[in-house]
Amino acid sequence: MTQEKYNRLIQAAVPSKDVREYCEKIGRTFAPYELATLICQNTLLGYSQKDALLAELVPELRAEPDSKAKTINGVYKNHYSNSEVADEIEAYIDMEKKMKDYLLNDFPGYVYELEYEEIGSYRDFYNCGVFSSINMVYETMEKEIQDFKELNAEILSFRLRKYKLDDRENYVNGKFVPEKDNPDKFGLNYLDSSFMGHEYCFNHRDGFDNLLVLIPHPFRNGDIIRRIDDGLMGVVCNIQNDEVFFESLQVREKRGGDITDIGIPADYLEDETFTYEHLAFFPTLCEKVDVATCKDSDPKIPLLEACATVMKGNGSFEYLFHEWNKYIDERRMEYHRHHY
């Protein structure tokens, strides 16, 4: 693989500039099968982008020597040669193409159920209706986007489910998100199926997307991070160093569990209700956040700053509550000054 091609693929596999620079600094490079795994998991890539990049890696894998001594461990402990990983990628692309064709083409007796996810409403989807054709779905999406613009609000994503009118359990799901260069246009970037996907998993249980990829990252306990796929923010917790992170990966691998979804444990504060969610942020989709540059533009930042202080061993949770209550009181007073 040429250096130019590697540089292009690594930007798709590891969107986080912080993580890429750290890997380069410590000399961590990624093999073709690792790039394929990370590209497969990148939720920022549209459907067609992802499949085109994966297809580029197939000839690279087939050109690699298939040494018996160098095995690639899958989640179920089967061993792959590079050519077998290439076969798995082609099977994966073929399965996704079938799901896309199924989702976006009308069939008699089938319906489409459309929902939208609004920015600021974490993990909540709202129903737009049930439709008999894909064109009606697209028209409704355009109308919803325009309605939200008039309200100075944004839609984070649309979720589309297609199923037979009398059999909702057999479905194909698609997720549409705004395109990076054109936020008014939503592209398909995720597919799921209750029957096609299961058939693939049954025949390819150890697929390349379940391979182990260790990702060193520069984040430390108490760092404030932003997840770059949807803007969620949190404070890194319980991560002292990379050794601890890698040990946790190796323990899960020995137990035979799926290790591709290991992320950065983080505490996330939702709105102004002091509600904590403990999340795993995938390291390749996170960036460090400079509090000084964004604390005035995000109401969650003052508490996150207090969280970071506590997690670094300074202060206490009483201090955190005090800072948060002080901030809420200031917001209430400001509201009353403007409205009364």
Side-chain angles (χ1 to χ4, degrees):
M1 185 184 304
T2 65
Q3 189 62 43
E4 181 183 355
K5 184 174 183 179
Y6 179 85
N7 291 341
R8 182 168 53 81
L9 290 171
I10 194 64
Q11 289 192 39
V14 183
S16 169
K17 186 170 179 283
D18 288 330
V19 176
R20 285 201 310 271
E21 288 179 349
Y22 184 61
C23 289
E24 185 177 351
K25 178 182 176 182
I26 66 174
R28 171 67 161 100
T29 58
F30 294 88
Y33 81 89
E34 293 178 311
L35 291 172
T37 301
L38 295 174
I39 287 170
C40 176
Q41 295 171 346
N42 184 357
T43 57
L44 293 173
L45 294 173
Y47 168 83
S48 56
Q49 290 175 294
K50 181 173 64 176
D51 282 0
L53 290 164
L54 290 175
E56 279 192 65
L57 284 162
V58 170
E60 299 290 345
L61 284 159
R62 297 204 186 282
E64 291 277 331
D66 288 330
S67 170
K68 293 269 186 179
K70 182 184 176 185
T71 57
I72 301 170
N73 291 327
V75 64
Y76 291 98
K77 301 301 169 201
N78 287 351
H79 301 296
Y80 281 101
S81 66
N82 285 292
S83 63
E84 287 170 325
V85 175
D87 292 341
E88 287 292 326
I89 291 175
E90 289 177 334
Y92 178 86
I93 293 173
D94 183 58
M95 181 268 298
E96 288 220 325
K97 183 177 184 303
K98 286 178 182 175
M99 287 200 291
K100 181 186 177 186
D101 290 343
Y102 183 94
L103 181 68
L104 301 182
N105 287 288
D106 296 338
F107 301 131
Y110 286 77
V111 293
Y112 300 88
E113 187 175 315
L114 182 66
E115 300 174 312
Y116 70 81
E117 181 185 14
E118 180 182 357
I119 287 182
S121 60
Y122 179 57
R123 290 179 177 168
D124 286 328
F125 281 84
Y126 302 93
N127 198 283
C128 300
V130 178
F131 308 92
S132 59
S133 75
I134 192 66
N135 286 333
M136 293 174 68
V137 169
Y138 290 147
E139 289 171 6
T140 303
M141 288 172 63
E142 290 179 6
K143 182 179 182 302
E144 291 287 353
I145 293 167
Q146 188 58 42
D147 288 347
F148 268 75
K149 271 188 174 181
E150 292 173 3
L151 296 170
N152 292 321
E154 294 179 61
I155 289 177
L156 184 63
S157 68
F158 286 99
R159 184 166 64 185
L160 182 63
R161 171 178 288 208
K162 180 179 180 179
Y163 53 88
K164 205 169 185 178
L165 197 53
D166 58 354
D167 185 13
R168 194 173 184 272
E169 297 306 311
N170 287 314
Y171 61 84
V172 169
N173 276 345
K175 185 176 181 181
F176 294 81
V177 299
E179 294 184 358
K180 187 176 180 181
D181 299 327
N182 185 5
D184 291 338
K185 187 176 180 183
F186 282 65
L188 180 63
N189 86 323
Y190 174 78
L191 287 161
D192 180 36
S193 169
S194 64
F195 58 100
M196 288 186 191
H198 288 171
E199 181 182 347
Y200 168 80
C201 290
F202 180 78
N203 294 322
H204 307 270
R205 292 201 312 175
D206 313 341
F208 77 93
D209 50 336
N210 281 330
L211 297 174
L212 172 63
V213 179
L214 294 177
I215 309 162
H217 56 80
F219 310 129
R220 292 295 181 266
N221 195 40
D223 282 347
I224 295 177
I225 56 173
R226 184 192 301 275
R227 197 164 75 186
I228 58 180
D229 55 341
D230 58 14
L232 289 179
M233 298 186 67
V235 181
V236 178
C237 57
N238 301 325
I239 292 292
Q240 287 77 38
N241 49 51
D242 283 342
E243 285 71 30
V244 173
F245 179 73
F246 290 150
E247 283 173 13
S248 66
L249 287 175
Q250 289 159 0
V251 167
R252 286 190 65 178
E253 186 194 12
K254 287 176 183 175
R255 291 175 181 170
D258 186 357
I259 39 65
T260 56
D261 63 350
I262 288 286
I264 301 167
D267 278 336
Y268 162 71
L269 181 76
E270 187 174 0
D271 300 323
E272 298 182 0
T273 59
F274 204 71
T275 302
Y276 271 112
E277 293 283 349
H278 193 66
L279 301 179
F281 286 177
F282 199 54
T284 62
L285 295 174
C286 287
E287 298 283 2
K288 281 186 178 178
V289 175
D290 182 356
V291 176
T293 62
C294 61
K295 66 181 178 181
D296 294 330
S297 61
D298 193 319
K300 296 186 284 293
I301 291 298
L303 181 60
L304 289 175
E305 189 172 12
C307 287
T309 302
V310 171
M311 290 180 184
K312 287 175 180 174
N314 303 315
S316 64
F317 277 97
E318 286 77 13
Y319 162 79
L320 188 149
F321 273 97
H322 171 73
E323 288 295 298
W324 182 239
N325 288 331
K326 184 174 71 173
Y327 175 68
I328 291 296
D329 288 341
E330 289 172 357
R331 289 285 298 271
R332 285 174 180 158
M333 290 178 65
E334 183 181 347
Y335 178 83
H336 281 280
R337 281 197 298 269
H338 282 284
H339 294 87
Y340 294 98

